[in-house]
Amino acid sequence: MNSSLKPVGILGTGKYVPEKVLTNSELEQMVDTNDEWIVTRTGIRERRIASAEQASSDLAYEASKIALKNAGITPEEIDLIIVATVTPDMAFPSTACILQDKLGAKKSAAFDLSAACSGFIYSLANAANFIATGTYKYALVVGAECLSKITDYTDRNTCILFGDGAGAVVLGTVPEGRGFKSFELGADGAGGPLLNVAAGGSRCPASPQSLEGKQHFIFMAGSEVFKFAVRIMGSAAEEALRKAGIDKSEVDLLVPHQANIRIIQSALQKLNLSEDKCMINLHKYGNVSAGSIPIALAEAAESGRVKEGDCLVLVGFGGGLTWGASVLVW
């Protein structure tokens, strides 16, 4: 990043996942699948499911309270709230505005960002630049999803993958030598039809026909998305490292989007990293889209996997198609 800008880093992390657990054995009773097949193909054993009363802002609120406490920052000090989500509470107001009200962060600007599973990295880049230029002092960045609300539990190809949860971080200035060193963001809109929710927007408003056609649920061309992910995860991380001027051998921890264990393993191979240098928790939560990386990051911080001075690489891919990576010195 430009040396004239203020160094920006993460001051506190937090996560929240709903209480309800949906296991592979329970899915066996719902669709034609089995635990061995799911674990072998994805690495997922269970996922968390929001209650009927919970929306993305509720999950975001719980994660944000923890992040703010860990950062030693009050809601009144927050200047900016960005919520990365593809499952907002509603079309508008934004989930970020709803969260702002829940927290009592009265002076903060607030908006949602939609980049699917890459949304958290996109949001970090936005918030970091606001702080680096001196526009704002503190920002709250949240990845929050209730993917169970848009998952078709009669589709065995997708219902095994997704779960609910939220992760949050507080950003602010940090000492020289610490903080974000680079961001790599990208998109390929031509791949949009490979992973989407077709109905509910201005192109295809809700109608009896869209409901009957299950167009309000996640559609994914699995094999094509898998090929894209295997290619882009490693290359995006490599490009972020190149921009930061940091060698692969200096990476202490990879925090990837938690979509599929085989995709994560391919990224590790590309970066010449062993699995002990990777934060993996998809066996517990499945794919939580924009929530995956911040939940994994919060767990890494909670469990002592990260210490001051460590070099972290955050990387994800998602619908759009989009991708994002960042290099961060803790």
Side-chain angles (χ1 to χ4, degrees):
M1 298 178 72
N2 190 319
S3 59
S4 65
L5 301 176
K6 297 177 181 179
V8 181
I10 292 173
L11 307 181
T13 64
K15 79 172 199 304
Y16 173 80
V17 293
E19 291 182 10
K20 182 180 178 182
V21 177
L22 178 62
T23 65
N24 289 347
S25 60
E26 289 174 295
L27 282 171
E28 290 177 0
Q29 312 305 313
M30 300 163 64
V31 291
D32 182 17
T33 191
N34 63 76
D35 175 70
E36 182 185 6
W37 190 91
I38 297 172
V39 173
T40 302
R41 296 297 185 93
T42 71
I44 300 168
R45 296 185 180 275
E46 57 188 42
R47 61 292 289 151
R48 297 300 181 97
I49 305 296
S51 70
E53 295 76 26
Q54 286 179 313
S56 291
S57 69
D58 299 314
L59 311 189
Y61 173 66
E62 297 298 335
S64 297
K65 286 193 300 181
I66 298 168
L68 287 164
K69 181 180 178 181
N70 287 337
I73 301 297
T74 66
E76 293 79 8
E77 294 177 275
I78 294 294
D79 302 296
L80 174 67
I81 297 173
I82 305 177
V83 175
T85 185
V86 294
T87 53
D89 286 27
M90 58 194 75
F92 64 89
S94 70
T95 302
C97 281
I98 296 170
L99 175 62
Q100 182 220 39
D101 182 53
K102 287 176 182 284
L103 289 170
K106 296 185 182 298
K107 76 169 187 174
S108 69
F111 65 89
D112 288 355
L113 189 149
S114 179
C117 308
S118 310
F120 182 71
I121 303 292
Y122 269 64
S123 299
L124 285 178
N126 272 271
N129 279 291
F130 275 115
I131 297 170
T133 58
T135 304
Y136 294 131
K137 186 175 182 181
Y138 296 117
L140 174 66
V141 178
V142 188
E145 303 285 12
C146 285
L147 295 175
S148 64
K149 314 276 188 175
I150 58 169
T151 295
D152 179 1
Y153 285 97
T154 67
D155 178 6
R156 68 175 188 166
N157 295 313
T158 57
C159 74
I160 64 172
L161 301 173
F162 301 109
D164 304 335
V169 297
V170 176
L171 268 55
T173 55
V174 293
E176 289 292 337
R178 300 286 191 259
F180 295 104
K181 299 301 178 183
S182 68
F183 287 99
E184 165 67 10
L185 306 177
D188 177 10
L194 299 177
L195 180 55
N196 65 30
V197 175
S202 60
R203 176 68 61 190
C204 181
S207 68
Q209 292 76 25
S210 68
L211 290 170
E212 185 179 349
K214 297 186 175 183
Q215 292 177 281
H216 297 267
F217 291 128
I218 298 168
F219 166 80
M220 183 172 68
S223 62
E224 294 304 312
V225 172
F226 180 85
K227 292 173 190 174
F228 159 75
V230 166
R231 174 176 59 83
I232 207 67
M233 282 271 278
S235 61
E238 282 186 322
E239 181 59 18
L241 285 165
R242 186 195 67 76
K243 286 181 176 180
I246 293 175
D247 190 77
K248 298 176 187 178
S249 63
E250 299 176 70
V251 176
D252 295 296
L253 189 68
L254 178 70
V255 185
H257 171 47
Q258 308 285 314
N260 182 300
I261 191 63
R262 294 184 293 164
I263 295 170
I264 292 173
Q265 288 168 343
S266 73
L268 287 170
Q269 187 175 12
K270 182 95 170 175
L271 296 171
N272 299 322
L273 294 175
S274 57
E275 202 163 291
D276 66 326
K277 288 196 170 186
C278 184
M279 184 62 200
I280 301 173
N281 64 2
L282 85 167
H283 55 288
K284 296 189 291 183
Y285 307 126
N287 182 342
V288 194
S289 190
S292 278
I293 292 173
I295 290 171
L297 183 61
E299 284 208 344
E302 288 171 8
S303 62
R305 293 284 301 275
V306 186
K307 60 183 184 297
E308 188 174 343
D310 278 357
C311 177
L312 279 64
V313 175
L314 317 180
V315 61
F317 67 93
L321 296 167
T322 61
W323 60 89
S326 180
V327 177
L328 167 69
V329 176
W330 199 254

